[in-house]
Amino acid sequence: MKTSNAFTLTRILFAPVFFIFYFFPIWTGLFTKASLLVAIPLLCFAEFTDFLDGHYARKHNEVSDFGKIFDPFADVILHMTTFMCLMFSAGTLGGYTPRFVFILIMYREMGQTFLRMVCAKKGIAIAARKGGKIKTVTYVVSGFYALFLEALVRLDIVPECFGTLKIVAICLFVLSLILSYTSFIDYLIHFGKTLKE
């Protein structure tokens, strides 16, 4: 397996591991604090592999049509897992990802995946466009910000302004939603002709 694709695969494999460590305290009430020692570094490394796969793909001349499809697919798996986890909390103050935001982003990502499959059948590999990259950055920022709030809850360090901090998290997720559809429209404009055909 190419080095770049191995890093991409890491994101897919780490997503369910993050899911398990995030939810274990919610399921059992055990290791509430210790779970963060694994979950947070694991997510950090998983997100970092998005840089590593692109770096090694260019360095070793491994850029391929397969990689252009595999990379965003891995992103979707990791980010949707993270957003779904963050709908829940080990505390009593509720989750962070609004349900409607998660559902609408999931619809967008499924639509984008369908577009990639149709284009791939026509021999067209859709590489990430600028809008898609900005959207991904917003996903990462939203996820880590909400995870930071959950860390405060699990460490029993909940400030009085926590309600305001949660509103900021909601705003970030809504921004992610807006940017996700903005970039999707951009993809449709550039590759929608393939769907018509």
Side-chain angles (χ1 to χ4, degrees), residues 13-63:
L13 297 178
F14 276 22
V17 179
F18 173 80
F19 173 86
I20 291 170
F21 276 97
Y22 186 91
F23 271 104
F24 191 79
I26 297 175
W27 294 331
T28 66
L30 302 173
F31 305 113
T32 302
K33 297 178 181 179
S35 63
L36 297 173
L37 298 177
V38 178
I40 293 177
L42 187 146
L43 184 61
C44 287
F45 180 74
E47 292 290 2
F48 185 55
T49 62
D50 196 15
F51 163 77
L52 293 176
D53 61 20
H55 171 74
Y56 281 99
R58 291 184 294 270
K59 182 179 180 180
H60 297 160
N61 195 28
E62 296 177 351
V63 177

Side-chain angles (χ1 to χ4, degrees), residues 112 115 119 126 129 181-196:
Q112 180 71 16
L115 177 61
C119 288
I126 300 179
R129 293 177 58 79
Y181 275 89
T182 301
S183 66
F184 185 46
I185 291 171
D186 176 59
Y187 282 107
L188 287 176
I189 290 173
H190 284 84
F191 299 99
K193 183 179 178 181
T194 304
L195 288 178
K196 293 180 180 179

Side-chain angles (χ1 to χ4, degrees), residues 1-196:
M1 179 181 290
K2 296 178 180 179
T3 304
S4 56
N5 290 336
F7 280 120
T8 302
L9 180 61
T10 300
R11 290 203 294 289
I12 295 176
L13 297 178
F14 276 22
V17 179
F18 173 80
F19 173 86
I20 291 170
F21 276 97
Y22 186 91
F23 271 104
F24 191 79
I26 297 175
W27 294 331
T28 66
L30 302 173
F31 305 113
T32 302
K33 297 178 181 179
S35 63
L36 297 173
L37 298 177
V38 178
I40 293 177
L42 187 146
L43 184 61
C44 287
F45 180 74
E47 292 290 2
F48 185 55
T49 62
D50 196 15
F51 163 77
L52 293 176
D53 61 20
H55 171 74
Y56 281 99
R58 291 184 294 270
K59 182 179 180 180
H60 297 160
N61 195 28
E62 296 177 351
V63 177
S64 64
D65 288 344
F66 174 78
K68 292 177 182 178
I69 297 173
F70 193 38
D71 178 63
F73 174 75
D75 287 345
V76 171
I77 294 294
L78 181 63
H79 294 144
M80 296 311 295
T81 299
T82 303
F83 284 10
M84 192 279 290
C85 288
L86 291 167
M87 286 195 293
F88 302 89
S89 172
T92 60
L93 300 175
Y96 313 94
T97 310
R99 269 60 168 176
F100 80 93
V101 169
F102 176 80
I103 291 296
L104 291 176
I105 287 180
M106 182 180 68
Y107 289 163
R108 182 271 183 200
E109 296 298 346
M110 292 174 68
Q112 180 71 16
T113 300
F114 178 75
L115 177 61
R116 290 184 189 278
M117 288 190 300
V118 172
C119 288
K121 188 175 181 181
K122 295 288 186 178
I124 303 171
I126 300 179
R129 293 177 58 79
K130 184 177 181 180
K133 292 179 180 179
I134 294 174
K135 176 267 301 181
T136 298
V137 171
T138 311
Y139 279 11
V140 174
V141 171
S142 301
F144 274 110
Y145 178 79
L147 188 58
F148 165 72
L149 297 185
E150 178 63 9
L152 294 180
V153 170
R154 296 191 184 195
L155 294 173
D156 294 323
I157 311 173
V158 181
E160 293 183 1
C161 62
F162 192 79
T164 302
L165 297 178
K166 282 193 67 173
I167 292 175
V168 174
I170 292 172
C171 290
L172 285 173
F173 282 119
V174 171
L175 177 61
S176 296
L177 173 63
I178 293 171
L179 291 178
S180 72
Y181 275 89
T182 301
S183 66
F184 185 46
I185 291 171
D186 176 59
Y187 282 107
L188 287 176
I189 290 173
H190 284 84
F191 299 99
K193 183 179 178 181
T194 304
L195 288 178
K196 293 180 180 179

